[in-house]
Amino acid sequence: MQNRFRLKGASLEEVVPEPDVLAEAVAPAVALAGAAPAHELQGAAIAALLEEADAAELSLHRPGNAGLSTESPDFAELLEQLGAGLRGPGAGAAAVPNNRNRQEPGAAPAPATASEPTAGVYLAVAEAPVSEPAAPRVSLPVPLSGVGDLVVLVGLGDDALDTALAMSTAAGGADVRTAGKLSAYGHLHVEGRQGATAARAHAVLTDQTVMVAFGLGRARDALARLQSVAALSADQVWVVVDAGRKPEDSARWVGVLAAQLDITAVAVVGAAETATPETVNSLGLPVGWIDSGPARPARV
């Protein structure tokens, strides 16, 4: 028994007190126990001390013993450090609510740090003056050139035919026909809706566009021919105006057609033969064709 409890550099007597000392230590417990015999209490106290001595010896000889008690402040600090290492960087910051930016009602705003841009920076970007977009370039009207499209050109005399032929050449070839008071050798004549539908069908088979040159005859016949033009159900209706005629005369018959039909644009003929071709602008319609070619945007 004596060798079992010997510690390094210490005897059992140095670790376990004398029996008289043990008796004095357990006397209060004996008084509280009352009915329990004194020798039994003394024996129990000695056994408890022996067990504590065994535990102390094992603790001293255990490798890597740090001598920490689970109830010591150092042990609690160690657990806190281990927990911080397991959580990883940034985890603790996410768990703690950030109250730096929270302000009490009526409190002055906290000054922003260098790493935190103020709201004014974002507002300055959002409210920066934006340059007004440039005015969109006006696209001039052009005659349709799709397969099976029907374009009707209405003019006095044979003005419409010359323009239809010029448009056909520019498009690489089209099925040019006549209608109204205008007829020409080598060109089929279109009468009414059925004739226009047949012309469309033939154009689809030949991969072409239909150009119909409609002759009004004289300017005063514009109203009488109005229904004939409308019956063709054209995809586009152009009016062919001679720039050398009086603007008032041209405006009269063009106005009759424009009141009932959707006029796409004006095709001007004779512009090179007059000093004032700009008088066609008084018609209030866009100019898409001049003499033998498409109109070009005016220079600013």
Side-chain angles (χ1 to χ4, degrees):
M1 175 68 70
Q2 184 175 359
N3 293 332
R4 177 186 175 190
F5 297 104
R6 183 169 301 279
L7 304 179
K8 290 183 179 180
S11 63
L12 178 62
E13 289 78 7
E14 294 174 343
V15 177
V16 181
E18 295 294 333
D20 295 339
V21 178
L22 291 176
E24 294 178 0
V26 299
V30 173
L32 293 175
H39 65 277
E40 293 182 3
L41 292 176
Q42 291 178 359
I46 293 173
L49 288 175
L50 291 176
E51 291 180 1
E52 184 176 350
D54 286 341
E57 183 179 15
L58 292 176
S59 176
L60 288 174
H61 290 283
R62 185 178 296 122
N65 177 43
L68 278 178
S69 171
T70 57
E71 297 180 358
S72 66
D74 294 337
F75 185 82
E77 181 179 359
L78 177 61
L79 288 181
E80 179 64 21
Q81 294 175 359
L82 290 175
L86 293 176
R87 286 193 297 268
V96 180
N98 183 8
N99 295 325
R100 291 184 306 163
N101 297 330
R102 183 179 302 172
Q103 299 179 6
E104 297 297 330
T113 61
S115 60
E116 297 178 354
T118 62
V121 174
Y122 299 104
L123 291 177
V125 174
E127 296 177 358
V130 180
S131 59
E132 296 183 0
R137 180 177 298 178
V138 178
S139 57
L140 298 177
V142 294
L144 294 176
S145 58
V147 175
D149 287 340
L150 179 62
V151 180
V152 174
L153 298 100
V154 184
L156 303 179
D158 58 356
D159 292 343
L161 182 58
D162 293 339
T163 303
L165 292 173
M167 287 184 176
S168 173
T169 301
D175 184 4
V176 179
R177 303 193 179 198
T178 61
K181 298 290 291 184
L182 179 61
S183 61
Y185 178 78
H187 298 279
L188 297 176
H189 196 77
V190 177
E191 290 286 349
R193 185 181 300 274
Q194 291 182 354
T197 302
R200 285 177 181 272
H202 183 267
V204 171
L205 293 176
T206 58
D207 293 334
Q208 289 182 305
T209 302
V210 183
M211 297 281 183
V212 177
F214 193 103
L216 288 178
R218 294 174 293 183
R220 62 187 182 196
D221 296 332
L223 184 59
R225 304 294 181 185
L226 178 61
Q227 295 301 323
S228 299
V229 177
L232 299 178
S233 299
D235 296 307
Q236 282 186 344
V237 177
W238 290 59
V239 290
V240 182
V241 176
D242 189 342
R245 291 191 174 98
K246 293 182 179 181
E248 296 80 3
D249 295 340
S250 298
R252 189 175 296 111
W253 68 267
V254 171
V256 171
L257 297 180
Q260 301 294 327
L261 303 175
D262 184 12
I263 305 299
T264 301
V266 176
V268 181
V269 296
E273 300 174 3
T274 178
T276 57
E278 68 278 0
T279 55
V280 297
N281 294 329
S282 62
L283 298 175
L285 296 172
V287 177
W289 194 271
I290 300 176
D291 286 340
S292 59
R296 295 179 176 83
R299 294 182 180 178
V300 179

